[in-house]
Amino acid sequence: QIQRSAYAVAFDEHFSIPLDPAALDENSLRFSVFGIDEDERSVSTGVAELKLSDLDLATRPFNAWLYLQDMNKAVDTVGEILLSLSYLPTAERLTVVVVKAKNLVWSNGKVTADPFVKVYLLQDGRKISKKKTAVKRGDTNPVFNEAMIFSVPAIVLQELSLRVTVAESGEDGRGDNTGHVLIGPTASGMGTTHWNQMLATLRKPVSMWHPLRRN
């Protein structure tokens, strides 16, 4: 139903969609939010999408806030990175898999560079642990497939966040940062959505692409 002149909207509407369990791995849910302008035209506010294969719906319902992406707005990004997150409560282990990146835009107008990825574990904004991948030579679409394992007690999980940075290796071992993404309860956008999905599907890896913001 249309909510007239509403800023904070409560719909409380339920939809039932018949779906064969075998089709869960092949389908996604897309949520599109619209506003109605003075001429009664539908204006897109944003879109959110969930892969059903990332959710353990047979065991528990999934409930989380989703970030709406503005499909009409150009985003100032310097590439994208595919990350997988999972948390194992019994072992109190957070696993971050740096899968791959694509369409990287090098810093300072460079034509080519040697990328690698740094993963920082933050607590209240402070860096408490750091891991990094191997360097990929001259590749704007590098495939890493490296897992980073952090020991994280469940009691502090909501105080933590991740900062994932794509960097360019230099001759002296140091390098320029290409871009980064923040993931966690205090992040915004896809970073919050990914964290919430991880918490809703404990023990099961959840993969998601993230736009890289310029540092």
Side-chain angles (χ1 to χ4, degrees):
Q1 299 292 320
I2 296 173
Q3 305 288 321
R4 295 291 179 182
S5 301
Y7 178 74
V9 185
F11 292 103
D12 195 24
E13 297 188 34
H14 299 256
F15 300 89
S16 180
I17 304 171
L19 190 65
D20 190 297
L24 287 173
D25 288 341
E26 305 169 1
N27 288 272
S28 298
L29 281 175
R30 172 173 285 196
F31 303 88
S32 300
V33 180
F34 295 90
I36 306 296
D37 66 10
E38 295 176 351
D39 298 320
E40 295 294 315
R41 294 177 302 189
S42 297
V43 180
S44 175
T45 300
V47 174
E49 190 164 306
L50 277 176
K51 286 197 306 178
L52 295 180
S53 59
D54 288 339
L55 309 178
D56 192 10
L57 295 176
T59 305
R60 64 175 75 86
F62 173 73
N63 182 22
W65 285 98
L66 301 179
Y67 174 67
L68 293 171
Q69 290 184 289
D70 187 350
M71 306 306 287
N72 301 316
K73 185 178 179 182
V75 181
D76 181 25
T77 64
V78 288
E80 295 178 79
I81 189 166
L82 180 60
L83 302 170
S84 171
L85 304 180
S86 61
Y87 184 71
L88 188 59
T90 51
E92 297 190 321
R93 187 174 69 215
L94 173 66
T95 302
V96 182
V97 180
V98 180
V99 184
K100 56 185 175 180
K102 64 181 180 181
N103 304 324
L104 296 177
V105 179
W106 310 122
S107 63
N108 303 319
K110 290 197 288 283
V111 177
T112 186
D114 302 326
F116 66 100
V117 178
K118 297 179 286 188
V119 180
Y120 299 95
L121 184 65
L122 312 176
Q123 184 169 15
D124 296 326
R126 293 178 294 103
K127 297 174 183 175
I128 59 174
S129 186
K130 171 190 172 183
K131 299 179 185 294
K132 62 181 181 179
T133 69
V135 175
K136 300 295 180 179
R137 301 295 175 186
D139 195 346
T140 54
N141 299 288
V143 177
F144 297 99
N145 283 328
E146 294 192 37
M148 318 289 184
I149 298 175
F150 299 93
S151 179
V152 176
I155 195 171
V156 300
L157 196 57
Q158 286 297 339
E159 302 172 11
L160 302 179
S161 58
L162 294 165
R163 181 185 177 96
V164 180
T165 301
V166 176
E168 302 156 21
S169 180
E171 295 180 0
D172 57 357
R174 303 177 63 184
D176 298 321
N177 290 337
T178 301
H180 73 277
V181 61
L182 289 172
I183 302 173
T186 59
S188 61
M190 299 300 291
T192 305
T193 300
H194 200 173
W195 189 264
N196 287 341
Q197 273 193 248
M198 178 193 73
L199 295 180
T201 56
L202 295 175
R203 303 176 183 84
K204 183 177 179 181
V206 178
S207 300
M208 194 172 291
W209 282 98
H210 293 267
L212 290 164
R213 308 294 182 184
R214 196 178 298 277
N215 287 279

